Amino acid sequence: EAGVAQSPRYKIIEKRQSVAFWCNPISGHATLYWYQQILGQGPKLLIQFQNNGVVDDSQLPKDRFSAERLKGVDSTLKIQPAKLEDSAVYLCASSLRNYGYTFGSGTRLTVV
Amino acid sequence: DAKTTQPNSMESNEEEPVHLPCNHSTISGTDYIHWYRQLPSQGPEYVIHGLTSNVNNRMASLAIAEDRKSSTLILHRATLRDAAVYYCILRPLVGSSNTGKLIFGQGTTLQVKP
């Protein structure tokens, strides 16, 4: 089966600019997650969707981060405006209920 | 959220077995024990998971203590491609009060020497 697709692979922006990341999960996976991984740390959950509804966004910095999942399939994560501390790898994952997650390769964001 | 404790790093020789330990003394009855690994510049990859009984798959084996307060991931013959960060995570059973989210710790960095 095809894996979780993410784009772009890399992005460099200046602070205060905006940026968007796209994720296409595995077909049929109802649950989709966005994680942020800062260098040297484990991934941190930002938001979890079940179909097109938000299940958990308690760790999402809502003053600058937003996410949506259109029609319960693709998802977009946006940062506006970006800060230097947002430099990280942004990982998307999807899963079936109670099964393992499948992660994409991530988008490496550098804010300068 | 239940937490796990893993050594920061371990070393192994190529083609030898590797035992990666994980302590989870506060595990609840509905927590599954999941293992993921992350190779350099890639997203985490599912390795194995279990509830009470030992589990085997093509990648590894998972040995779970009888009281479930600890577990061990076993790589039977380490290769250079197994060098990665290994995460032991407790995942609650998805239900009305649990979303089943994975909370990652620091993991164990495994170095494999030729």
Side-chain angles (χ1 to χ4, degrees):
Chain A
E1 65 182 1
V4 174
Q6 288 190 249
S7 68
R9 190 77 173 89
Y10 303 94
K11 189 75 177 179
I12 301 175
I13 61 172
E14 294 183 350
K15 59 183 179 182
R16 291 188 289 274
Q17 285 188 323
S18 63
V19 64
F21 313 124
W22 173 82
C23 173
N24 180 241
I26 290 176
S27 177
H29 281 195
T31 313
L32 184 146
Y33 316 81
W34 282 102
Y35 282 81
Q36 178 193 58
Q37 186 170 25
I38 293 171
L39 187 65
Q41 299 181 16
K44 169 189 162 187
L45 179 67
L46 292 175
I47 189 167
Q48 177 180 349
F49 291 93
Q50 181 72 21
N51 295 310
N52 60 352
V54 175
V55 174
D56 185 345
D57 63 357
S58 57
Q59 298 296 305
L60 188 73
K62 300 180 187 62
D63 58 334
R64 297 184 301 107
F65 286 64
S66 64
E68 61 179 2
R69 188 177 184 195
L70 303 174
K71 299 179 181 178
V73 183
D74 292 5
S75 178
T76 303
L77 177 69
K78 296 179 181 177
I79 307 175
Q80 182 180 9
K83 292 185 176 182
L84 296 177
E85 58 260 37
D86 297 332
S87 294
V89 175
Y90 291 86
L91 295 160
C92 178
S94 68
S95 74
L96 291 170
R97 185 180 175 94
N98 286 326
Y99 285 81
Y101 289 25
T102 302
F103 283 82
S105 296
T107 296
R108 181 176 298 277
L109 173 68
T110 302
V111 182
V112 297
Chain B
D1 297 319
K3 301 214 183 292
T4 63
T5 303
Q6 299 178 252
N8 287 333
S9 62
M10 290 185 64
E11 285 186 357
S12 172
N13 294 317
E14 196 176 12
E15 299 189 3
E16 290 186 354
V18 182
H19 291 234
L20 297 163
C22 181
N23 288 318
H24 29 79
S25 59
T26 59
I27 191 170
S28 73
T30 56
D31 286 338
Y32 281 80
I33 302 161
H34 280 242
W35 283 83
Y36 285 75
R37 72 178 185 180
Q38 189 170 22
L39 280 65
S41 300
Q42 294 189 26
E45 173 189 29
Y46 168 80
V47 177
I48 201 167
H49 78 282
L51 184 63
T52 56
S53 304
N54 294 344
V55 184
N56 300 295
N57 66 21
R58 63 175 180 80
M59 290 182 69
S61 295
L62 176 59
I64 302 173
E66 198 169 329
D67 63 5
R68 300 212 321 129
K69 294 185 176 181
S70 65
S71 61
T72 302
L73 180 71
I74 303 166
L75 307 179
H76 296 286
R77 287 180 72 240
T79 69
L80 297 179
R81 291 181 300 169
D82 291 322
V85 179
Y86 287 78
Y87 296 98
C88 169
I89 305 167
L90 299 183
R91 187 187 187 196
L93 185 69
V94 177
S96 59
S97 60
N98 280 302
T99 63
K101 63 186 177 184
L102 290 178
I103 298 176
F104 288 79
Q106 292 292 103
T108 296
T109 300
L110 175 66
Q111 182 181 1
V112 180
K113 296 184 289 185

